[in-house]
Structure formats: C-alpha cells, structure tokens
C-alpha cells in the first residue's frame, strides 16, 4: 500500500509536471504568435508610412506643377492683354489714318468746288 501511494504520488507529480510543461509550451506559442503578429503589424505600419511619404511627395510635386501652370497662365493672359491692347491701338490708328484720308478728299472736293464757284473775271 505504501508502494501504491508512492506510485500514485509519482504519477500525480508526472501529470502535474506534464501539465505545467504543456502550459509553458502553450504560453510560449501564444507569445511567439503575438510577437509574429506584432512584427506583421509593424511591417504594415512601415509600408503605410512609406506610402504616406510617397503620397506627400506626389502632392508637393503636384502643388509645384500647379503653381507653375498658374504662373504660365498668368503670363499668357498678360501677353494676350498686351496683344489685344496693341490690336486696339492699331485699329484706332488705322481709323485715324482712314479719317485723315477722307478729310483730305473732302478738303480737295471743297477746294475744287470753291474754285468752280469763284467769280469769273472778264
């Protein structure tokens, strides 16, 4: 009976040790899984960080391009306004020249009429 008691105590001790080892293995596996997931999340965060940095660089480049386009458009509109102003001045100059020519024709016509109406001397 003493041998049986010792045998039962030994078996219980072995079972307890086995259970502790199983719990330790389970905890180690959970820790490894947690560390792996943590590493995966960290890697995903690094990818997101790189993507964000790339997006910001693209945004900055787009902003610079947009400013350059706006500057070019301003220069274009300034040039167009200058061309329109020069065209308006040329048109006005043409009209003045045309009016001057018409006045000269009228002046010549009036002088001719005055000469014809002048009293004839006998």
């Amino acid at each position: 009976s003493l041998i049986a008691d010792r045998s039962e105590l030994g078996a219980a001790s072995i079972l307890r040790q086995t259970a502790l080892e199983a719990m330790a293995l389970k905890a180690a596996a959970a820790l490894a899984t947690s560390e792996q997931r943590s590493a995966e999340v960290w890697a995903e965060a690094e990818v997101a960080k790189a993507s964000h940095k790339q997006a910001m660089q693209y945004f900055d480049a787009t902003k610079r391009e947009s400013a350059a386009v706006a500057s070019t458009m301003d220069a274009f509109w300034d040039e167009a306004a200058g061309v329109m102003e020069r065209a308006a001045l040329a048109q006005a100059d043409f009209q003045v020249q045309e009016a001057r020519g018409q006045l000269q024709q009228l002046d010549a016509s009036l002088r001719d009429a005055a000469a014809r109406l002048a009293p004839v001397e006998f």
Side-chain angles (χ1 to χ4, degrees), residues 59-87:
F59 175 75
D60 289 342
T62 301
K63 196 164 65 171
R64 284 191 300 275
E65 284 179 24
S66 187
V69 167
S71 176
T72 301
M73 289 302 295
D74 287 345
F76 169 79
W77 287 117
D78 289 346
E79 181 64 24
V83 167
M84 290 174 65
E85 184 178 332
R86 289 190 297 275

Side-chain angles (χ1 to χ4, degrees), residues 33-47:
T33 300
S34 175
E35 287 174 348
Q36 180 182 356
R37 183 61 189 140
S38 178
E40 289 170 359
V41 168
W42 188 259
E44 289 171 7
E46 288 297 321
V47 168

Side-chain angles (χ1 to χ4, degrees), residues 55-117:
M56 289 306 294
Q57 289 171 342
Y58 177 76
F59 175 75
D60 289 342
T62 301
K63 196 164 65 171
R64 284 191 300 275
E65 284 179 24
S66 187
V69 167
S71 176
T72 301
M73 289 302 295
D74 287 345
F76 169 79
W77 287 117
D78 289 346
E79 181 64 24
V83 167
M84 290 174 65
E85 184 178 332
R86 289 190 297 275
L89 289 173
Q91 178 68 26
D93 186 53
F94 175 76
Q95 289 173 345
V96 165
Q97 293 299 328
E98 195 174 72
R100 190 174 284 148
Q102 289 174 354
L103 284 174
Q104 287 173 348
Q105 286 177 352
L106 181 60
D107 183 56
S109 295
L110 286 175
R111 286 180 191 268
D112 185 45
R116 278 186 276 157
L117 292 176

